[in-house]
Amino acid sequence: MKIHLGIVLALRLDAVAPFSAPSRLGEARRQLLVWSTLEREIVLDDSPAFADGTPGSGTTLTTPEKSDDNRPPGERENDTFQCDPSVWRWRGFQIDGLNAATENLAQMTSIASRFVRKGPKAASYWARHAGRTSYFAANAALGTAASQLHSSLTGTAQSSPINNLNSDIASRLILEAFLSYEQDYAKIEGGEYSEPWDMKRGHRQSSPINVATQTSRFVSEAIGTLARRGRQAEEDKNTWITD
């Protein structure tokens, strides 16, 4: 029997002898349990193991011939596994460089229009996702603004991350989210799975009290995070717990 495997793990069962029936122990010792992650070829047989538990003479280990395929492992595996079409779409997404923010915005508008044309159910799905995306973006803006206000009141002026924000990168991140929503809905529409459980009506994410609570927590954390970013002090970089 030949199998391709990586790491050969021979488990000696002597350690479990006190818990094994004598009639089964001898049989168990003749079995070589193998687990694999690296490419090797093993030939196994049922020849009795030696007293010390090593396999019999019928067990051989050889290294396969080197392949002429110089592609990375991830690309070679695509020949073995059936990949979803989205794999190739995401792999080539803006591969030649960032699109301008105006192009990204045009694509987002087009995605929104496609959802609306599909009907009320798709439009509702889109509106809920777009609402959550807007909520996260608003939190980021509020956190940054609160941090700037805090630094000005405490006299610890710091540069705002917004000053270094690249609109092409920011719009691409949102476009990626929009494309993910469209891809996700295609699976839902095709019956592969249901809508996310946390998008159902009555979930706490739709509660104004919960929304306000989470926003308050985020803004409070953002003030501390951006303050440490601005200070760049050694104690802020220390991850060890000290007395």
Side-chain angles (χ1 to χ4, degrees):
M1 176 178 63
K2 293 185 178 181
I3 58 176
H4 289 281
L5 54 102
I7 297 175
V8 181
L9 180 61
L11 300 180
R12 293 184 56 184
L13 300 181
D14 302 74
V16 297
F19 310 100
S20 305
S23 60
R24 295 183 179 179
L25 187 57
E27 177 67 20
R29 284 178 174 171
R30 294 194 297 111
Q31 303 300 321
L32 184 64
L33 305 182
V34 181
W35 294 88
S36 162
T37 49
L38 299 176
E39 291 185 355
R40 291 191 180 277
E41 184 179 74
I42 298 251
V43 182
L44 301 178
D45 68 2
D46 290 332
S47 58
F50 295 109
D52 61 356
T54 56
S57 59
T59 302
T60 59
L61 175 64
T62 59
T63 302
E65 296 181 2
K66 184 177 180 180
S67 172
D68 294 331
D69 193 343
N70 295 321
R71 294 179 300 166
E75 293 185 14
R76 294 201 304 269
E77 289 178 352
N78 290 337
D79 298 336
T80 304
F81 301 98
Q82 183 178 359
C83 298
D84 188 89
S86 62
V87 172
W88 309 109
R89 183 165 60 252
W90 284 111
R91 184 178 176 186
F93 179 69
Q94 297 190 13
I95 194 172
D96 296 324
L98 291 172
N99 288 350
T102 52
E103 295 180 55
N104 293 333
L105 181 60
Q107 283 187 264
M108 287 186 270
T109 303
S110 178
I111 293 171
S113 299
R114 289 197 291 269
F115 269 105
V116 171
R117 289 196 299 268
K118 286 187 177 209
K121 185 177 180 180
S124 173
Y125 172 89
W126 162 252
R128 284 174 286 167
H129 263 316
R132 294 207 296 189
T133 300
S134 301
Y135 169 73
F136 294 138
N139 275 353
L142 286 173
T144 303
S147 174
Q148 289 294 301
L149 178 61
H150 178 268
S151 63
S152 63
L153 292 176
T154 57
T156 55
Q158 59 186 30
S159 61
S160 170
I162 294 181
N163 297 336
N164 300 320
L165 185 64
N166 185 313
S167 60
D168 295 343
I169 296 176
S171 59
R172 170 184 162 145
L173 292 175
I174 299 176
L175 174 59
E176 287 178 359
F178 282 22
L179 289 170
S180 297
Y181 301 154
E182 188 172 42
Q183 177 181 314
D184 187 52
Y185 189 75
K187 300 291 185 181
I188 294 171
E189 195 175 33
E192 293 192 35
Y193 48 76
S194 307
E195 285 188 356
W197 63 273
D198 58 354
M199 292 188 69
K200 303 294 183 183
R201 291 182 180 178
H203 190 274
R204 68 173 186 169
Q205 288 188 5
S206 60
S207 167
I209 296 177
N210 180 69
V211 170
T213 301
Q214 296 301 325
T215 297
S216 175
R217 289 176 178 173
F218 179 85
V219 170
S220 177
E221 184 66 25
I223 293 174
T225 300
L226 294 177
R228 290 189 294 273
R229 175 183 178 272
R231 286 196 304 262
Q232 293 288 314
E234 287 300 322
E235 57 268 24
D236 294 329
K237 302 175 184 179
N238 188 5
T239 59
W240 294 101
I241 298 175
T242 58
D243 294 335

mmCIF file of all heavy atoms in Angstrom, residues 90-122:
data_model
loop_
_atom_site.group_PDB
_atom_site.id
_atom_site.type_symbol
_atom_site.label_atom_id
_atom_site.label_comp_id
_atom_site.label_asym_id
_atom_site.label_seq_id
_atom_site.Cartn_x
_atom_site.Cartn_y
_atom_site.Cartn_z
ATOM 1 N N TRP A 90 -11.068 37.906 -7.334
ATOM 2 C CA TRP A 90 -10.370 38.652 -6.289
ATOM 3 C C TRP A 90 -8.870 38.680 -6.533
ATOM 4 O O TRP A 90 -8.188 39.651 -6.197
ATOM 5 C CB TRP A 90 -10.656 38.037 -4.918
ATOM 6 C CG TRP A 90 -12.015 38.384 -4.399
ATOM 7 C CD1 TRP A 90 -13.068 37.547 -4.243
ATOM 8 C CD2 TRP A 90 -12.464 39.674 -3.973
ATOM 9 N NE1 TRP A 90 -14.152 38.225 -3.747
ATOM 10 C CE2 TRP A 90 -13.817 39.534 -3.576
ATOM 11 C CE3 TRP A 90 -11.863 40.917 -3.892
ATOM 12 C CZ2 TRP A 90 -14.558 40.595 -3.095
ATOM 13 C CZ3 TRP A 90 -12.611 41.979 -3.416
ATOM 14 C CH2 TRP A 90 -13.941 41.818 -3.026
ATOM 15 N N ARG A 91 -8.366 37.627 -7.138
ATOM 16 C CA ARG A 91 -6.921 37.595 -7.407
ATOM 17 C C ARG A 91 -6.505 38.694 -8.387
ATOM 18 O O ARG A 91 -5.420 39.260 -8.288
ATOM 19 C CB ARG A 91 -6.536 36.223 -7.971
ATOM 20 C CG ARG A 91 -5.048 36.063 -8.182
ATOM 21 C CD ARG A 91 -4.729 34.679 -8.698
ATOM 22 N NE ARG A 91 -3.315 34.547 -8.985
ATOM 23 C CZ ARG A 91 -2.762 33.489 -9.549
ATOM 24 N NH1 ARG A 91 -3.518 32.452 -9.861
ATOM 25 N NH2 ARG A 91 -1.470 33.435 -9.790
ATOM 26 N N GLY A 92 -7.388 39.014 -9.308
ATOM 27 C CA GLY A 92 -7.060 40.038 -10.295
ATOM 28 C C GLY A 92 -7.609 41.411 -9.965
ATOM 29 O O GLY A 92 -7.492 42.335 -10.769
ATOM 30 N N PHE A 93 -8.195 41.550 -8.768
ATOM 31 C CA PHE A 93 -8.821 42.822 -8.396
ATOM 32 C C PHE A 93 -7.774 43.927 -8.253
ATOM 33 O O PHE A 93 -6.899 43.864 -7.394
ATOM 34 C CB PHE A 93 -9.598 42.648 -7.084
ATOM 35 C CG PHE A 93 -10.256 43.898 -6.592
ATOM 36 C CD1 PHE A 93 -11.328 44.453 -7.264
ATOM 37 C CD2 PHE A 93 -9.795 44.532 -5.443
ATOM 38 C CE1 PHE A 93 -11.945 45.608 -6.814
ATOM 39 C CE2 PHE A 93 -10.409 45.680 -4.978
ATOM 40 C CZ PHE A 93 -11.480 46.227 -5.665
ATOM 41 N N GLN A 94 -7.850 44.913 -9.148
ATOM 42 C CA GLN A 94 -6.921 46.055 -9.162
ATOM 43 C C GLN A 94 -5.469 45.581 -9.023
ATOM 44 O O GLN A 94 -4.667 46.196 -8.303
ATOM 45 C CB GLN A 94 -7.291 47.054 -8.066
ATOM 46 C CG GLN A 94 -8.664 47.673 -8.242
ATOM 47 C CD GLN A 94 -8.962 48.836 -7.316
ATOM 48 O OE1 GLN A 94 -8.058 49.369 -6.669
ATOM 49 N NE2 GLN A 94 -10.215 49.267 -7.244
ATOM 50 N N ILE A 95 -5.143 44.513 -9.716
ATOM 51 C CA ILE A 95 -3.810 43.928 -9.600
ATOM 52 C C ILE A 95 -2.734 44.822 -10.218
ATOM 53 O O ILE A 95 -1.556 44.748 -9.845
ATOM 54 C CB ILE A 95 -3.798 42.524 -10.255
ATOM 55 C CG1 ILE A 95 -2.531 41.756 -9.849
ATOM 56 C CG2 ILE A 95 -3.934 42.629 -11.772
ATOM 57 C CD1 ILE A 95 -2.527 40.312 -10.293
ATOM 58 N N ASP A 96 -3.138 45.664 -11.146
ATOM 59 C CA ASP A 96 -2.168 46.533 -11.814
ATOM 60 C C ASP A 96 -1.993 47.877 -11.122
ATOM 61 O O ASP A 96 -1.284 48.748 -11.614
ATOM 62 C CB ASP A 96 -2.592 46.758 -13.274
ATOM 63 C CG ASP A 96 -2.588 45.471 -14.080
ATOM 64 O OD1 ASP A 96 -1.702 44.629 -13.828
ATOM 65 O OD2 ASP A 96 -3.476 45.294 -14.939
ATOM 66 N N GLY A 97 -2.654 48.049 -9.977
ATOM 67 C CA GLY A 97 -2.532 49.307 -9.244
ATOM 68 C C GLY A 97 -3.890 49.813 -8.795
ATOM 69 O O GLY A 97 -4.936 49.323 -9.244
ATOM 70 N N LEU A 98 -3.869 50.771 -7.907
ATOM 71 C CA LEU A 98 -5.112 51.312 -7.368
ATOM 72 C C LEU A 98 -5.874 52.100 -8.419
ATOM 73 O O LEU A 98 -5.283 52.855 -9.201
ATOM 74 C CB LEU A 98 -4.805 52.239 -6.185
ATOM 75 C CG LEU A 98 -4.272 51.602 -4.903
ATOM 76 C CD1 LEU A 98 -3.844 52.684 -3.924
ATOM 77 C CD2 LEU A 98 -5.344 50.717 -4.275
ATOM 78 N N ASN A 99 -7.188 51.899 -8.422
ATOM 79 C CA ASN A 99 -8.039 52.759 -9.250
ATOM 80 C C ASN A 99 -8.242 54.088 -8.539
ATOM 81 O O ASN A 99 -8.115 54.186 -7.320
ATOM 82 C CB ASN A 99 -9.397 52.102 -9.484
ATOM 83 C CG ASN A 99 -9.308 50.915 -10.428
ATOM 84 O OD1 ASN A 99 -8.272 50.684 -11.057
ATOM 85 N ND2 ASN A 99 -10.384 50.164 -10.531
ATOM 86 N N ALA A 100 -8.585 55.102 -9.306
ATOM 87 C CA ALA A 100 -8.875 56.405 -8.722
ATOM 88 C C ALA A 100 -10.153 56.311 -7.899
ATOM 89 O O ALA A 100 -11.016 55.466 -8.140
ATOM 90 C CB ALA A 100 -9.019 57.453 -9.819
ATOM 91 N N ALA A 101 -10.277 57.185 -6.923
ATOM 92 C CA ALA A 101 -11.452 57.181 -6.057
ATOM 93 C C ALA A 101 -12.731 57.354 -6.864
ATOM 94 O O ALA A 101 -13.769 56.766 -6.532
ATOM 95 C CB ALA A 101 -11.316 58.279 -5.008
ATOM 96 N N THR A 102 -12.687 58.137 -7.927
ATOM 97 C CA THR A 102 -13.882 58.352 -8.752
ATOM 98 C C THR A 102 -14.321 57.052 -9.429
ATOM 99 O O THR A 102 -15.525 56.786 -9.552
ATOM 100 C CB THR A 102 -13.601 59.420 -9.812
ATOM 101 O OG1 THR A 102 -12.403 59.076 -10.532
ATOM 102 C CG2 THR A 102 -13.413 60.786 -9.172
ATOM 103 N N GLU A 103 -13.359 56.241 -9.864
ATOM 104 C CA GLU A 103 -13.697 54.954 -10.480
ATOM 105 C C GLU A 103 -14.305 54.011 -9.449
ATOM 106 O O GLU A 103 -15.277 53.296 -9.736
ATOM 107 C CB GLU A 103 -12.439 54.323 -11.084
ATOM 108 C CG GLU A 103 -11.844 55.088 -12.241
ATOM 109 C CD GLU A 103 -10.605 54.384 -12.786
ATOM 110 O OE1 GLU A 103 -10.697 53.194 -13.145
ATOM 111 O OE2 GLU A 103 -9.528 55.022 -12.827
ATOM 112 N N ASN A 104 -13.720 53.995 -8.260
ATOM 113 C CA ASN A 104 -14.265 53.139 -7.207
ATOM 114 C C ASN A 104 -15.686 53.553 -6.845
ATOM 115 O O ASN A 104 -16.563 52.707 -6.636
ATOM 116 C CB ASN A 104 -13.374 53.199 -5.962
ATOM 117 C CG ASN A 104 -12.001 52.583 -6.194
ATOM 118 O OD1 ASN A 104 -11.845 51.704 -7.032
ATOM 119 N ND2 ASN A 104 -11.019 53.035 -5.446
ATOM 120 N N LEU A 105 -15.913 54.864 -6.779
ATOM 121 C CA LEU A 105 -17.248 55.369 -6.455
ATOM 122 C C LEU A 105 -18.250 54.985 -7.538
ATOM 123 O O LEU A 105 -19.399 54.626 -7.250
ATOM 124 C CB LEU A 105 -17.200 56.889 -6.286
ATOM 125 C CG LEU A 105 -18.521 57.568 -5.908
ATOM 126 C CD1 LEU A 105 -19.044 57.026 -4.583
ATOM 127 C CD2 LEU A 105 -18.330 59.079 -5.827
ATOM 128 N N ALA A 106 -17.824 55.035 -8.794
ATOM 129 C CA ALA A 106 -18.705 54.660 -9.897
ATOM 130 C C ALA A 106 -19.098 53.189 -9.808
ATOM 131 O O ALA A 106 -20.257 52.820 -10.050
ATOM 132 C CB ALA A 106 -18.024 54.948 -11.231
ATOM 133 N N GLN A 107 -18.145 52.331 -9.427
ATOM 134 C CA GLN A 107 -18.438 50.913 -9.267
ATOM 135 C C GLN A 107 -19.392 50.667 -8.105
ATOM 136 O O GLN A 107 -20.293 49.830 -8.189
ATOM 137 C CB GLN A 107 -17.144 50.124 -9.035
ATOM 138 C CG GLN A 107 -16.325 49.893 -10.290
ATOM 139 C CD GLN A 107 -15.152 48.965 -10.038
ATOM 140 O OE1 GLN A 107 -14.035 49.403 -9.791
ATOM 141 N NE2 GLN A 107 -15.407 47.673 -10.087
ATOM 142 N N MET A 108 -19.208 51.399 -7.011
ATOM 143 C CA MET A 108 -20.110 51.255 -5.864
ATOM 144 C C MET A 108 -21.529 51.664 -6.233
ATOM 145 O O MET A 108 -22.508 51.017 -5.832
ATOM 146 C CB MET A 108 -19.596 52.089 -4.685
ATOM 147 C CG MET A 108 -18.366 51.504 -4.010
ATOM 148 S SD MET A 108 -17.900 52.433 -2.537
ATOM 149 C CE MET A 108 -16.793 53.637 -3.227
ATOM 150 N N THR A 109 -21.648 52.737 -7.013
ATOM 151 C CA THR A 109 -22.964 53.181 -7.466
ATOM 152 C C THR A 109 -23.615 52.131 -8.350
ATOM 153 O O THR A 109 -24.824 51.865 -8.255
ATOM 154 C CB THR A 109 -22.838 54.510 -8.223
ATOM 155 O OG1 THR A 109 -22.205 55.486 -7.381
ATOM 156 C CG2 THR A 109 -24.189 55.023 -8.656
ATOM 157 N N SER A 110 -22.823 51.514 -9.194
ATOM 158 C CA SER A 110 -23.327 50.471 -10.080
ATOM 159 C C SER A 110 -23.813 49.254 -9.286
ATOM 160 O O SER A 110 -24.852 48.667 -9.608
ATOM 161 C CB SER A 110 -22.228 50.053 -11.067
ATOM 162 O OG SER A 110 -22.664 49.002 -11.906
ATOM 163 N N ILE A 111 -23.080 48.881 -8.248
ATOM 164 C CA ILE A 111 -23.483 47.754 -7.398
ATOM 165 C C ILE A 111 -24.811 48.051 -6.713
ATOM 166 O O ILE A 111 -25.718 47.216 -6.677
ATOM 167 C CB ILE A 111 -22.394 47.450 -6.362
ATOM 168 C CG1 ILE A 111 -21.145 46.914 -7.051
ATOM 169 C CG2 ILE A 111 -22.894 46.432 -5.328
ATOM 170 C CD1 ILE A 111 -19.940 46.775 -6.137
ATOM 171 N N ALA A 112 -24.939 49.264 -6.195
ATOM 172 C CA ALA A 112 -26.187 49.659 -5.535
ATOM 173 C C ALA A 112 -27.356 49.594 -6.504
ATOM 174 O O ALA A 112 -28.455 49.128 -6.154
ATOM 175 C CB ALA A 112 -26.046 51.064 -4.952
ATOM 176 N N SER A 113 -27.141 50.032 -7.739
ATOM 177 C CA SER A 113 -28.209 50.002 -8.747
ATOM 178 C C SER A 113 -28.618 48.571 -9.071
ATOM 179 O O SER A 113 -29.816 48.291 -9.245
ATOM 180 C CB SER A 113 -27.740 50.712 -10.025
ATOM 181 O OG SER A 113 -27.425 52.065 -9.772
ATOM 182 N N ARG A 114 -27.657 47.666 -9.114
ATOM 183 C CA ARG A 114 -27.984 46.271 -9.416
ATOM 184 C C ARG A 114 -28.838 45.660 -8.310
ATOM 185 O O ARG A 114 -29.755 44.878 -8.571
ATOM 186 C CB ARG A 114 -26.706 45.455 -9.627
ATOM 187 C CG ARG A 114 -25.981 45.773 -10.911
ATOM 188 C CD ARG A 114 -24.985 44.689 -11.274
ATOM 189 N NE ARG A 114 -23.854 44.616 -10.374
ATOM 190 C CZ ARG A 114 -22.707 45.288 -10.554
ATOM 191 N NH1 ARG A 114 -22.586 46.109 -11.587
ATOM 192 N NH2 ARG A 114 -21.707 45.157 -9.708
ATOM 193 N N PHE A 115 -28.533 45.992 -7.057
ATOM 194 C CA PHE A 115 -29.338 45.496 -5.942
ATOM 195 C C PHE A 115 -30.774 46.016 -6.034
ATOM 196 O O PHE A 115 -31.732 45.263 -5.821
ATOM 197 C CB PHE A 115 -28.722 45.909 -4.607
ATOM 198 C CG PHE A 115 -27.751 44.904 -4.050
ATOM 199 C CD1 PHE A 115 -26.386 45.122 -4.104
ATOM 200 C CD2 PHE A 115 -28.206 43.735 -3.455
ATOM 201 C CE1 PHE A 115 -25.491 44.198 -3.582
ATOM 202 C CE2 PHE A 115 -27.327 42.811 -2.927
ATOM 203 C CZ PHE A 115 -25.963 43.043 -2.991
ATOM 204 N N VAL A 116 -30.924 47.284 -6.344
ATOM 205 C CA VAL A 116 -32.266 47.885 -6.418
ATOM 206 C C VAL A 116 -33.082 47.228 -7.531
ATOM 207 O O VAL A 116 -34.285 46.954 -7.372
ATOM 208 C CB VAL A 116 -32.158 49.402 -6.633
ATOM 209 C CG1 VAL A 116 -33.526 50.003 -6.921
ATOM 210 C CG2 VAL A 116 -31.529 50.062 -5.409
ATOM 211 N N ARG A 117 -32.435 46.953 -8.669
ATOM 212 C CA ARG A 117 -33.143 46.356 -9.803
ATOM 213 C C ARG A 117 -33.589 44.921 -9.520
ATOM 214 O O ARG A 117 -34.503 44.415 -10.174
ATOM 215 C CB ARG A 117 -32.263 46.387 -11.053
ATOM 216 C CG ARG A 117 -32.059 47.778 -11.631
ATOM 217 C CD ARG A 117 -31.523 47.702 -13.055
ATOM 218 N NE ARG A 117 -30.236 47.024 -13.116
ATOM 219 C CZ ARG A 117 -29.055 47.647 -13.045
ATOM 220 N NH1 ARG A 117 -29.023 48.967 -12.887
ATOM 221 N NH2 ARG A 117 -27.933 46.972 -13.121
ATOM 222 N N LYS A 118 -32.963 44.269 -8.550
ATOM 223 C CA LYS A 118 -33.328 42.877 -8.253
ATOM 224 C C LYS A 118 -34.616 42.745 -7.473
ATOM 225 O O LYS A 118 -35.161 41.654 -7.364
ATOM 226 C CB LYS A 118 -32.192 42.200 -7.470
ATOM 227 C CG LYS A 118 -30.987 41.864 -8.318
ATOM 228 C CD LYS A 118 -29.982 41.058 -7.532
ATOM 229 C CE LYS A 118 -28.817 40.679 -8.445
ATOM 230 N NZ LYS A 118 -28.193 39.435 -8.057
ATOM 231 N N GLY A 119 -35.074 43.827 -6.882
ATOM 232 C CA GLY A 119 -36.332 43.763 -6.163
ATOM 233 C C GLY A 119 -36.205 44.149 -4.705
ATOM 234 O O GLY A 119 -35.097 44.404 -4.196
ATOM 235 N N PRO A 120 -37.339 44.163 -4.001
ATOM 236 C CA PRO A 120 -37.360 44.627 -2.598
ATOM 237 C C PRO A 120 -36.469 43.810 -1.664
ATOM 238 O O PRO A 120 -35.837 44.390 -0.772
ATOM 239 C CB PRO A 120 -38.837 44.484 -2.211
ATOM 240 C CG PRO A 120 -39.580 44.482 -3.496
ATOM 241 C CD PRO A 120 -38.691 43.842 -4.492
ATOM 242 N N LYS A 121 -36.443 42.503 -1.830
ATOM 243 C CA LYS A 121 -35.657 41.665 -0.929
ATOM 244 C C LYS A 121 -34.168 41.980 -1.045
ATOM 245 O O LYS A 121 -33.464 42.140 -0.039
ATOM 246 C CB LYS A 121 -35.910 40.193 -1.225
ATOM 247 C CG LYS A 121 -35.226 39.255 -0.246
ATOM 248 C CD LYS A 121 -35.574 37.804 -0.544
ATOM 249 C CE LYS A 121 -34.869 36.870 0.449
ATOM 250 N NZ LYS A 121 -35.200 35.448 0.173
ATOM 251 N N ALA A 122 -33.702 42.079 -2.277
ATOM 252 C CA ALA A 122 -32.285 42.395 -2.500
ATOM 253 C C ALA A 122 -31.977 43.812 -2.038
ATOM 254 O O ALA A 122 -30.924 44.071 -1.434
ATOM 255 C CB ALA A 122 -31.934 42.234 -3.980
#
